Amino acid sequence: MEVRVQSGDITRSTADVIVVNLFEGVTSPGGGTGAIDKVLDGAISRLIALGDIRGKSGELTLVHTFGRIPSPRVLVAGLGKSAEFDVDAVRNLGASVARYLRRPGIKTAATILHGAGIAGLDPAACARALAEGALLGSYRFQRHKAASIKEDDRAELESLTIVERDAAKIAALTAAAAEGVVLASATNWARDLANEPANHLTPTLLAERVVAMAKAAGLEVEVIEREEAERKGMGSFLSVSRGSAQPPKLLRVSYKGRGGEGYDLALVGKGITFDTGGISIKPAANMEAMKADMTGAASVMAAMQAIAALKPKIDVVAVAPCTENMPGGNATKPGDVVTAMNGRTIEVINTDAEGRLVLADAICFAKELGARAIVDVATLTGAVSTALGDVCYGLLTNNDALAARVEAAAVRAGEKTWRLPMFKEYNSILESDVADMKNVGSRGAGTIVGAKFLEPFAGDTPWVHLDIAGVDMADKDKGWVTKGASGYSVRALVHLACDSAP
Ligand code: BES
Ligand code: ZN
Ligand code: ZN
């Protein structure tokens, strides 16, 4: 979908539909909605008087214009109470409107800038959120349905034009909308990867997709093969890939916006293209969802795509350890001891706790590259969804200042995080009788124990761990989140990089 910003009079638009709005409790609309109402001889205010349009949040009413203006339809979007309306609501509105308008016969929409009037929100922020929401909300994964797809499901809104009266605002709104498009397109790219079945996205194919993205974005990319990972001593990462016929790949993508030594920020993403659990095999029910156990990798790589386009003055590297976790004849067995890149030995008690094993070496690698701050993103534990559900994701850290920056970046993205404690009393849970540590605890605090496992690999480097296992997949469309891979964390990581530029 193309998003444009134009100066002019919305009532003159020739788009297939004009989108206006109404706050709850407003009986005679003003601004763009008022202008449309007037040229429709008061049709909207009459529908309000009849009680058919109430301005409730989520209410969408399609009104036909019967030749009174060039556009054949007007969609009145309810915004809810003006005091509760914020930029997150604009994003969600953009998403639900784009989905509503996805029908044969509608290709182009013109809209006023929701929220910038009565609610007094920053117009540029509204334009960015509207563009983001429209692209995020209309995402669908239909790649493998070509033979059975219905005509109606093929319909897409092709363009959304934000029409603004004040010509002086156009440049700023255009730039903001373009940023929204960058952020949403990167997120949709990550969703495509996470939705892809594991036979269509092996570590090798994931590497190919990342290399293609990096080349197109002008980013430096490196694919580290098994032999080189062996030479680097990444025994923890490689132990996970032993049971698979597919070769592992460690991906590195670099962006130098400042051109300094090392990196101001490293983004590390778990890239398990399928998690069977290995020898500690998972039950059959819902195992197909484990094709998305590479969402962390997809998120960090997608963030790099957007960072390359937005060009913050900061040096960022993304690292993604990618492998299948399979129970083949050569697989790691419970009780095996493996050695990570930093020399630490790990007793693998449960081969299903594989995310932490691949991240351990990836974090060591990020430090070797000169990372001064590390944020890892992983679908690490089922326990995080028991604790937090799909409302927010877990955030654990060894550094309050970096945590605060990540929290602020998530807020900008309209995402919620929740901090879990890292009390030293949890440390003893991972003590092993035979190695420096084991990879699982025995009882409780699963998400904290996962982070506690990673903590010594980060060492003194400021580090934040995001456990996105509760939010990575959605079972239905809701606001900017679409069914299947949700795209959580991508935009938060981009904001973090852009807001951290020294
Ligand atoms: N990939 C899973 C975590 C997961 C579960 C992600 C559900 C998304 C939805 C991870 O590798 C795993 O299996 N974790 C184990 C850890 C346990 C063995 C300590 C878990 O959560 O059960
Ligand atoms: Zn697992
Ligand atoms: Zn996993």
Side-chain angles (χ1 to χ4, degrees), residues 30-70:
T33 309
I36 291 286
D37 186 39
K38 213 162 151 198
V39 291
L40 294 184
D41 305 323
I44 296 174
S45 31
R46 237 173 301 155
L47 285 164
I48 297 169
L50 285 168
D52 291 335
I53 300 183
R54 298 193 293 165
K56 294 253 181 218
S57 169
E59 176 194 80
L60 295 172
T61 313
L62 195 63
V63 180
H64 291 89
T65 65
F66 301 111
R68 278 176 288 196
I69 53 174

mmCIF file of all heavy atoms in Angstrom, residues 30-70:
data_model
loop_
_atom_site.group_PDB
_atom_site.id
_atom_site.type_symbol
_atom_site.label_atom_id
_atom_site.label_comp_id
_atom_site.label_asym_id
_atom_site.label_seq_id
_atom_site.Cartn_x
_atom_site.Cartn_y
_atom_site.Cartn_z
ATOM 1 N N GLY A 30 -16.994 18.978 13.597
ATOM 2 C CA GLY A 30 -16.278 20.113 13.011
ATOM 3 C C GLY A 30 -15.162 19.606 12.116
ATOM 4 O O GLY A 30 -15.141 18.430 11.739
ATOM 5 N N GLY A 31 -14.218 20.472 11.790
ATOM 6 C CA GLY A 31 -13.035 20.108 11.008
ATOM 7 C C GLY A 31 -13.394 19.422 9.699
ATOM 8 O O GLY A 31 -14.414 19.753 9.060
ATOM 9 N N GLY A 32 -12.584 18.455 9.310
ATOM 10 C CA GLY A 32 -12.786 17.726 8.055
ATOM 11 C C GLY A 32 -14.109 16.976 8.044
ATOM 12 O O GLY A 32 -14.805 16.909 7.026
ATOM 13 N N THR A 33 -14.468 16.403 9.202
ATOM 14 C CA THR A 33 -15.725 15.648 9.282
ATOM 15 C C THR A 33 -16.910 16.602 9.071
ATOM 16 O O THR A 33 -17.866 16.282 8.357
ATOM 17 C CB THR A 33 -15.841 14.934 10.646
ATOM 18 O OG1 THR A 33 -14.628 14.202 10.874
ATOM 19 C CG2 THR A 33 -17.029 13.980 10.681
ATOM 20 N N GLY A 34 -16.791 17.809 9.693
ATOM 21 C CA GLY A 34 -17.844 18.815 9.544
ATOM 22 C C GLY A 34 -17.985 19.252 8.092
ATOM 23 O O GLY A 34 -19.108 19.427 7.583
ATOM 24 N N ALA A 35 -16.836 19.414 7.413
ATOM 25 C CA ALA A 35 -16.861 19.842 6.011
ATOM 26 C C ALA A 35 -17.566 18.797 5.147
ATOM 27 O O ALA A 35 -18.384 19.125 4.279
ATOM 28 C CB ALA A 35 -15.433 20.076 5.522
ATOM 29 N N ILE A 36 -17.271 17.532 5.417
ATOM 30 C CA ILE A 36 -17.909 16.447 4.656
ATOM 31 C C ILE A 36 -19.415 16.408 4.980
ATOM 32 O O ILE A 36 -20.256 16.256 4.079
ATOM 33 C CB ILE A 36 -17.243 15.082 4.993
ATOM 34 C CG1 ILE A 36 -15.808 15.033 4.446
ATOM 35 C CG2 ILE A 36 -18.071 13.918 4.465
ATOM 36 C CD1 ILE A 36 -15.693 14.872 2.947
ATOM 37 N N ASP A 37 -19.737 16.580 6.247
ATOM 38 C CA ASP A 37 -21.145 16.567 6.673
ATOM 39 C C ASP A 37 -21.926 17.643 5.909
ATOM 40 O O ASP A 37 -23.045 17.411 5.434
ATOM 41 C CB ASP A 37 -21.206 16.799 8.183
ATOM 42 C CG ASP A 37 -22.620 16.654 8.730
ATOM 43 O OD1 ASP A 37 -23.349 15.749 8.254
ATOM 44 O OD2 ASP A 37 -22.990 17.440 9.627
ATOM 45 N N LYS A 38 -21.309 18.798 5.813
ATOM 46 C CA LYS A 38 -21.960 19.931 5.154
ATOM 47 C C LYS A 38 -22.254 19.633 3.673
ATOM 48 O O LYS A 38 -23.381 19.831 3.201
ATOM 49 C CB LYS A 38 -21.036 21.153 5.257
ATOM 50 C CG LYS A 38 -21.782 22.450 5.373
ATOM 51 C CD LYS A 38 -20.854 23.520 5.909
ATOM 52 C CE LYS A 38 -21.320 24.858 5.381
ATOM 53 N NZ LYS A 38 -20.266 25.852 5.490
ATOM 54 N N VAL A 39 -21.221 19.104 2.974
ATOM 55 C CA VAL A 39 -21.451 18.836 1.543
ATOM 56 C C VAL A 39 -22.390 17.652 1.331
ATOM 57 O O VAL A 39 -22.942 17.468 0.246
ATOM 58 C CB VAL A 39 -20.132 18.629 0.741
ATOM 59 C CG1 VAL A 39 -19.365 19.926 0.651
ATOM 60 C CG2 VAL A 39 -19.281 17.523 1.351
ATOM 61 N N LEU A 40 -22.602 16.858 2.397
ATOM 62 C CA LEU A 40 -23.579 15.755 2.308
ATOM 63 C C LEU A 40 -24.939 16.210 2.868
ATOM 64 O O LEU A 40 -25.768 15.382 3.249
ATOM 65 C CB LEU A 40 -23.075 14.520 3.077
ATOM 66 C CG LEU A 40 -21.812 13.830 2.532
ATOM 67 C CD1 LEU A 40 -21.508 12.574 3.348
ATOM 68 C CD2 LEU A 40 -21.968 13.455 1.058
ATOM 69 N N ASP A 41 -25.144 17.505 2.940
ATOM 70 C CA ASP A 41 -26.411 18.072 3.442
ATOM 71 C C ASP A 41 -26.775 17.563 4.832
ATOM 72 O O ASP A 41 -27.949 17.240 5.101
ATOM 73 C CB ASP A 41 -27.577 17.776 2.470
ATOM 74 C CG ASP A 41 -27.265 18.252 1.063
ATOM 75 O OD1 ASP A 41 -26.627 19.317 0.943
ATOM 76 O OD2 ASP A 41 -27.632 17.544 0.106
ATOM 77 N N GLY A 42 -25.754 17.424 5.686
ATOM 78 C CA GLY A 42 -26.012 17.045 7.075
ATOM 79 C C GLY A 42 -26.295 15.562 7.289
ATOM 80 O O GLY A 42 -26.838 15.177 8.328
ATOM 81 N N ALA A 43 -25.906 14.716 6.331
ATOM 82 C CA ALA A 43 -26.194 13.274 6.455
ATOM 83 C C ALA A 43 -25.541 12.680 7.708
ATOM 84 O O ALA A 43 -26.160 11.871 8.419
ATOM 85 C CB ALA A 43 -25.706 12.538 5.214
ATOM 86 N N ILE A 44 -24.314 13.111 8.005
ATOM 87 C CA ILE A 44 -23.616 12.526 9.161
ATOM 88 C C ILE A 44 -24.275 12.992 10.458
ATOM 89 O O ILE A 44 -24.566 12.170 11.339
ATOM 90 C CB ILE A 44 -22.104 12.882 9.134
ATOM 91 C CG1 ILE A 44 -21.437 12.249 7.891
ATOM 92 C CG2 ILE A 44 -21.413 12.399 10.405
ATOM 93 C CD1 ILE A 44 -19.995 12.652 7.680
ATOM 94 N N SER A 45 -24.555 14.304 10.555
ATOM 95 C CA SER A 45 -25.172 14.763 11.817
ATOM 96 C C SER A 45 -26.566 14.156 12.007
ATOM 97 O O SER A 45 -26.989 13.902 13.127
ATOM 98 C CB SER A 45 -25.196 16.278 11.952
ATOM 99 O OG SER A 45 -25.305 16.909 10.723
ATOM 100 N N ARG A 46 -27.261 13.870 10.883
ATOM 101 C CA ARG A 46 -28.572 13.220 11.034
ATOM 102 C C ARG A 46 -28.407 11.790 11.553
ATOM 103 O O ARG A 46 -29.162 11.333 12.407
ATOM 104 C CB ARG A 46 -29.316 13.212 9.703
ATOM 105 C CG ARG A 46 -30.671 13.915 9.861
ATOM 106 C CD ARG A 46 -31.384 14.103 8.554
ATOM 107 N NE ARG A 46 -30.607 14.893 7.606
ATOM 108 C CZ ARG A 46 -30.740 14.829 6.281
ATOM 109 N NH1 ARG A 46 -31.620 14.009 5.743
ATOM 110 N NH2 ARG A 46 -30.027 15.598 5.508
ATOM 111 N N LEU A 47 -27.396 11.082 11.053
ATOM 112 C CA LEU A 47 -27.141 9.718 11.553
ATOM 113 C C LEU A 47 -26.743 9.746 13.033
ATOM 114 O O LEU A 47 -27.065 8.834 13.797
ATOM 115 C CB LEU A 47 -26.057 9.032 10.713
ATOM 116 C CG LEU A 47 -26.528 8.567 9.329
ATOM 117 C CD1 LEU A 47 -25.348 8.256 8.418
ATOM 118 C CD2 LEU A 47 -27.442 7.343 9.453
ATOM 119 N N ILE A 48 -26.045 10.834 13.422
ATOM 120 C CA ILE A 48 -25.686 10.981 14.844
ATOM 121 C C ILE A 48 -26.972 11.200 15.652
ATOM 122 O O ILE A 48 -27.195 10.552 16.680
ATOM 123 C CB ILE A 48 -24.705 12.160 15.052
ATOM 124 C CG1 ILE A 48 -23.385 11.899 14.327
ATOM 125 C CG2 ILE A 48 -24.445 12.383 16.549
ATOM 126 C CD1 ILE A 48 -22.448 13.109 14.257
ATOM 127 N N ALA A 49 -27.844 12.084 15.148
ATOM 128 C CA ALA A 49 -29.100 12.388 15.860
ATOM 129 C C ALA A 49 -29.973 11.144 15.990
ATOM 130 O O ALA A 49 -30.641 10.927 17.012
ATOM 131 C CB ALA A 49 -29.851 13.497 15.130
ATOM 132 N N LEU A 50 -29.930 10.286 14.963
ATOM 133 C CA LEU A 50 -30.718 9.040 15.001
ATOM 134 C C LEU A 50 -30.109 7.996 15.939
ATOM 135 O O LEU A 50 -30.722 6.972 16.228
ATOM 136 C CB LEU A 50 -30.805 8.438 13.592
ATOM 137 C CG LEU A 50 -31.760 9.124 12.610
ATOM 138 C CD1 LEU A 50 -31.516 8.611 11.201
ATOM 139 C CD2 LEU A 50 -33.216 8.886 13.022
ATOM 140 N N GLY A 51 -28.867 8.252 16.350
ATOM 141 C CA GLY A 51 -28.194 7.285 17.228
ATOM 142 C C GLY A 51 -27.503 6.171 16.460
ATOM 143 O O GLY A 51 -27.004 5.208 17.052
ATOM 144 N N ASP A 52 -27.455 6.282 15.133
ATOM 145 C CA ASP A 52 -26.799 5.236 14.331
ATOM 146 C C ASP A 52 -25.280 5.399 14.326
ATOM 147 O O ASP A 52 -24.546 4.441 14.116
ATOM 148 C CB ASP A 52 -27.331 5.270 12.894
ATOM 149 C CG ASP A 52 -28.778 4.812 12.847
ATOM 150 O OD1 ASP A 52 -29.177 4.060 13.759
ATOM 151 O OD2 ASP A 52 -29.509 5.222 11.932
ATOM 152 N N ILE A 53 -24.816 6.628 14.506
ATOM 153 C CA ILE A 53 -23.376 6.859 14.657
ATOM 154 C C ILE A 53 -23.171 7.481 16.028
ATOM 155 O O ILE A 53 -23.786 8.496 16.357
ATOM 156 C CB ILE A 53 -22.828 7.816 13.563
ATOM 157 C CG1 ILE A 53 -23.060 7.221 12.169
ATOM 158 C CG2 ILE A 53 -21.341 8.083 13.779
ATOM 159 C CD1 ILE A 53 -22.488 8.058 11.024
ATOM 160 N N ARG A 54 -22.345 6.844 16.847
ATOM 161 C CA ARG A 54 -22.167 7.341 18.215
ATOM 162 C C ARG A 54 -20.716 7.732 18.537
ATOM 163 O O ARG A 54 -20.433 8.244 19.608
ATOM 164 C CB ARG A 54 -22.673 6.293 19.208
ATOM 165 C CG ARG A 54 -24.188 6.045 19.012
ATOM 166 C CD ARG A 54 -24.787 5.264 20.138
ATOM 167 N NE ARG A 54 -24.267 3.899 20.164
ATOM 168 C CZ ARG A 54 -24.394 3.071 21.211
ATOM 169 N NH1 ARG A 54 -24.986 3.480 22.310
ATOM 170 N NH2 ARG A 54 -23.918 1.843 21.165
ATOM 171 N N GLY A 55 -19.827 7.432 17.614
ATOM 172 C CA GLY A 55 -18.432 7.818 17.837
ATOM 173 C C GLY A 55 -17.686 6.913 18.805
ATOM 174 O O GLY A 55 -16.599 7.246 19.280
ATOM 175 N N LYS A 56 -18.309 5.739 19.085
ATOM 176 C CA LYS A 56 -17.631 4.794 19.990
ATOM 177 C C LYS A 56 -16.340 4.299 19.340
ATOM 178 O O LYS A 56 -16.278 4.116 18.118
ATOM 179 C CB LYS A 56 -18.538 3.582 20.232
ATOM 180 C CG LYS A 56 -19.805 3.935 20.987
ATOM 181 C CD LYS A 56 -19.705 3.415 22.395
ATOM 182 C CE LYS A 56 -20.964 3.723 23.169
ATOM 183 N NZ LYS A 56 -20.679 4.080 24.566
ATOM 184 N N SER A 57 -15.355 4.017 20.160
ATOM 185 C CA SER A 57 -14.086 3.505 19.657
ATOM 186 C C SER A 57 -14.333 2.183 18.901
ATOM 187 O O SER A 57 -15.008 1.291 19.402
ATOM 188 C CB SER A 57 -13.157 3.282 20.847
ATOM 189 O OG SER A 57 -12.033 2.574 20.430
ATOM 190 N N GLY A 58 -13.828 2.092 17.690
ATOM 191 C CA GLY A 58 -13.976 0.869 16.896
ATOM 192 C C GLY A 58 -15.202 0.880 15.991
ATOM 193 O O GLY A 58 -15.335 0.028 15.117
ATOM 194 N N GLU A 59 -16.103 1.853 16.179
ATOM 195 C CA GLU A 59 -17.311 1.933 15.342
ATOM 196 C C GLU A 59 -16.941 2.440 13.940
ATOM 197 O O GLU A 59 -16.291 3.470 13.801
ATOM 198 C CB GLU A 59 -18.293 2.893 16.015
ATOM 199 C CG GLU A 59 -19.565 3.184 15.253
ATOM 200 C CD GLU A 59 -20.289 4.391 15.842
ATOM 201 O OE1 GLU A 59 -19.869 5.528 15.532
ATOM 202 O OE2 GLU A 59 -21.232 4.200 16.620
ATOM 203 N N LEU A 60 -17.353 1.698 12.909
ATOM 204 C CA LEU A 60 -17.068 2.108 11.530
ATOM 205 C C LEU A 60 -18.386 2.117 10.760
ATOM 206 O O LEU A 60 -19.080 1.108 10.714
ATOM 207 C CB LEU A 60 -16.075 1.126 10.876
ATOM 208 C CG LEU A 60 -14.663 1.087 11.492
ATOM 209 C CD1 LEU A 60 -13.849 -0.058 10.901
ATOM 210 C CD2 LEU A 60 -13.929 2.404 11.296
ATOM 211 N N THR A 61 -18.750 3.267 10.196
ATOM 212 C CA THR A 61 -20.023 3.389 9.476
ATOM 213 C C THR A 61 -19.765 3.877 8.059
ATOM 214 O O THR A 61 -19.190 4.947 7.858
ATOM 215 C CB THR A 61 -20.947 4.405 10.192
ATOM 216 O OG1 THR A 61 -20.953 4.119 11.585
ATOM 217 C CG2 THR A 61 -22.367 4.330 9.641
ATOM 218 N N LEU A 62 -20.201 3.071 7.083
ATOM 219 C CA LEU A 62 -20.010 3.437 5.686
ATOM 220 C C LEU A 62 -21.263 4.155 5.180
ATOM 221 O O LEU A 62 -22.371 3.647 5.305
ATOM 222 C CB LEU A 62 -19.750 2.165 4.865
ATOM 223 C CG LEU A 62 -19.187 2.368 3.467
ATOM 224 C CD1 LEU A 62 -17.808 3.009 3.511
ATOM 225 C CD2 LEU A 62 -19.086 1.023 2.744
ATOM 226 N N VAL A 63 -21.070 5.364 4.667
ATOM 227 C CA VAL A 63 -22.186 6.181 4.179
ATOM 228 C C VAL A 63 -21.965 6.424 2.687
ATOM 229 O O VAL A 63 -20.841 6.717 2.275
ATOM 230 C CB VAL A 63 -22.201 7.550 4.921
ATOM 231 C CG1 VAL A 63 -23.357 8.412 4.438
ATOM 232 C CG2 VAL A 63 -22.269 7.348 6.424
ATOM 233 N N HIS A 64 -23.030 6.290 1.877
ATOM 234 C CA HIS A 64 -22.881 6.545 0.441
ATOM 235 C C HIS A 64 -23.192 8.001 0.130
ATOM 236 O O HIS A 64 -24.034 8.604 0.777
ATOM 237 C CB HIS A 64 -23.734 5.558 -0.353
ATOM 238 C CG HIS A 64 -23.191 4.170 -0.243
ATOM 239 N ND1 HIS A 64 -23.565 3.302 0.765
ATOM 240 C CD2 HIS A 64 -22.238 3.531 -0.956
ATOM 241 C CE1 HIS A 64 -22.878 2.180 0.646
ATOM 242 N NE2 HIS A 64 -22.066 2.287 -0.384
ATOM 243 N N THR A 65 -22.494 8.557 -0.851
ATOM 244 C CA THR A 65 -22.610 10.003 -1.085
ATOM 245 C C THR A 65 -23.533 10.339 -2.258
ATOM 246 O O THR A 65 -23.862 11.514 -2.459
ATOM 247 C CB THR A 65 -21.219 10.631 -1.343
ATOM 248 O OG1 THR A 65 -20.702 10.084 -2.554
ATOM 249 C CG2 THR A 65 -20.255 10.352 -0.211
ATOM 250 N N PHE A 66 -23.958 9.347 -3.006
ATOM 251 C CA PHE A 66 -24.938 9.513 -4.098
ATOM 252 C C PHE A 66 -24.692 10.762 -4.945
ATOM 253 O O PHE A 66 -25.606 11.538 -5.193
ATOM 254 C CB PHE A 66 -26.354 9.503 -3.522
ATOM 255 C CG PHE A 66 -26.674 8.223 -2.787
ATOM 256 C CD1 PHE A 66 -26.842 8.216 -1.405
ATOM 257 C CD2 PHE A 66 -26.755 7.018 -3.476
ATOM 258 C CE1 PHE A 66 -27.102 7.027 -0.729
ATOM 259 C CE2 PHE A 66 -27.020 5.826 -2.797
ATOM 260 C CZ PHE A 66 -27.189 5.833 -1.431
ATOM 261 N N GLY A 67 -23.434 10.934 -5.342
ATOM 262 C CA GLY A 67 -23.108 11.994 -6.300
ATOM 263 C C GLY A 67 -22.993 13.391 -5.728
ATOM 264 O O GLY A 67 -22.764 14.344 -6.462
ATOM 265 N N ARG A 68 -23.196 13.542 -4.421
ATOM 266 C CA ARG A 68 -23.090 14.900 -3.871
ATOM 267 C C ARG A 68 -21.650 15.398 -3.820
ATOM 268 O O ARG A 68 -21.398 16.595 -3.794
ATOM 269 C CB ARG A 68 -23.748 14.962 -2.491
ATOM 270 C CG ARG A 68 -25.272 15.121 -2.625
ATOM 271 C CD ARG A 68 -25.956 15.092 -1.305
ATOM 272 N NE ARG A 68 -25.929 13.722 -0.770
ATOM 273 C CZ ARG A 68 -26.702 13.295 0.213
ATOM 274 N NH1 ARG A 68 -27.540 14.118 0.781
ATOM 275 N NH2 ARG A 68 -26.630 12.057 0.634
ATOM 276 N N ILE A 69 -20.702 14.475 -3.758
ATOM 277 C CA ILE A 69 -19.281 14.841 -3.874
ATOM 278 C C ILE A 69 -18.625 13.829 -4.820
ATOM 279 O O ILE A 69 -19.216 12.778 -5.101
ATOM 280 C CB ILE A 69 -18.556 14.839 -2.493
ATOM 281 C CG1 ILE A 69 -18.742 13.511 -1.750
ATOM 282 C CG2 ILE A 69 -19.015 16.013 -1.641
ATOM 283 C CD1 ILE A 69 -17.946 13.400 -0.466
ATOM 284 N N PRO A 70 -17.427 14.126 -5.329
ATOM 285 C CA PRO A 70 -16.813 13.202 -6.299
ATOM 286 C C PRO A 70 -16.600 11.789 -5.748
ATOM 287 O O PRO A 70 -16.707 10.812 -6.484
ATOM 288 C CB PRO A 70 -15.470 13.874 -6.615
ATOM 289 C CG PRO A 70 -15.652 15.319 -6.286
ATOM 290 C CD PRO A 70 -16.648 15.374 -5.172
#
